[in-house]
Amino acid sequence: IGDSFEGHTNEINSVAISPDGLRIASGSDDFTVRIWDADTGRQIGRPLQGHTDRVWSVSFSPDGAHVVSGSRDKTLIIWSVALGEKIGSKLMGHSKAVMAVAYSPDSARIASASSDSTILLWDLSTRQSIIKPLTGHTGVVCSVAFSPNGTRIASASWDKTVRIWDCSTGKQVGLPLSGHTDRVNSVSFSTDGARLVLGSDDSTIRM
């Protein structure tokens, strides 16, 4: 629909649409995050610079006021959409690349998934990880999602499994969800939180 959005100087790894549908965020191998007008395709403001390596993932907060980005530089950055600038210092805790980021439904927390095989849960009031790293995956964790009620996190990994976690305790809920024969790259909750959809390198989708 319409013309291409042009401005990045290298591969684009992640895009997200704001909750009101008016803005688009993108993260790229050019180390930048950019915000776009969804109607005109024009870039809003300058590129958001702060990462020192490729940006793997971007996500809008549910209120649309902020974007969080995760990078191969092992950090997360929270950006003000209105101001076009970084809010506070980087969030640091992963030992390898941050592959995926997601806001909780109440905008109070962020989940980050990493190639260090862990998931971290961040409290945005303190900008600290809330509980110990969520461990159990044996490969890169490349996708993470909150349940609609914010009580569970689902994570997808190159270890061919999806795992569900309790956000209050950090403990795994039940057994790993297995069945795929290759990397699981993406996971998403249904709007009622009752189901998960998974996408894999084995060319299949599972629910």
Side-chain angles (χ1 to χ4, degrees):
I1 300 173
D3 296 327
S4 300
F5 294 12
E6 297 181 359
H8 282 294
T9 59
N10 211 325
E11 296 175 10
I12 297 169
N13 299 309
S14 180
V15 292
I17 301 176
S18 63
D20 61 11
L22 299 179
R23 298 288 183 264
I24 292 171
S26 57
S28 169
D29 278 4
D30 66 10
F31 304 179
T32 73
V33 173
R34 298 178 193 236
I35 307 295
W36 311 83
D37 185 302
D39 291 327
T40 66
R42 293 179 179 176
Q43 185 175 308
I44 299 172
R46 295 175 295 178
L48 306 182
Q49 298 178 311
H51 285 298
T52 58
D53 208 327
R54 62 183 59 177
V55 181
W56 281 122
S57 183
V58 293
S59 177
F60 274 96
S61 59
D63 60 10
H66 304 114
V67 168
V68 61
S69 56
S71 169
R72 197 168 71 170
D73 67 11
K74 311 174 188 177
T75 73
L76 293 79
I77 295 179
I78 300 170
W79 308 91
S80 167
V81 174
L83 299 177
E85 60 186 36
K86 181 172 62 174
I87 299 175
S89 57
K90 295 180 178 180
L91 303 183
M92 296 184 289
H94 286 293
S95 61
K96 293 184 179 180
V98 180
M99 304 297 292
V101 291
Y103 268 96
S104 63
D106 62 2
S107 296
R109 295 164 296 168
I110 289 172
S112 58
S114 171
S115 56
D116 65 13
S117 303
T118 72
I119 300 99
L120 293 179
L121 186 61
W122 304 87
D123 182 336
L124 295 185
S125 64
T126 63
R127 301 180 69 85
Q128 299 293 321
S129 56
I130 302 172
I131 48 183
K132 64 181 181 180
L134 310 185
T135 59
H137 283 296
T138 58
V140 171
V141 186
C142 53
S143 182
V144 65
F146 277 94
S147 62
N149 64 10
T151 63
R152 297 285 188 267
I153 293 172
S155 57
S157 171
W158 289 2
D159 67 9
K160 307 177 188 178
T161 72
V162 166
R163 297 171 191 247
I164 300 173
W165 311 86
D166 184 305
C167 290
S168 61
T169 66
K171 293 182 178 179
Q172 185 175 308
V173 179
L175 296 173
L177 306 181
S178 59
H180 282 294
T181 58
D182 208 334
R183 298 173 178 177
V184 184
N185 296 313
S186 185
V187 61
S188 181
F189 278 95
S190 61
T191 54
D192 63 2
R195 293 178 293 177
L196 287 169
V197 60
L198 325 174
S200 170
D201 273 358
D202 65 13
S203 305
T204 69
I205 296 167
R206 290 177 176 260
M207 289 192 73

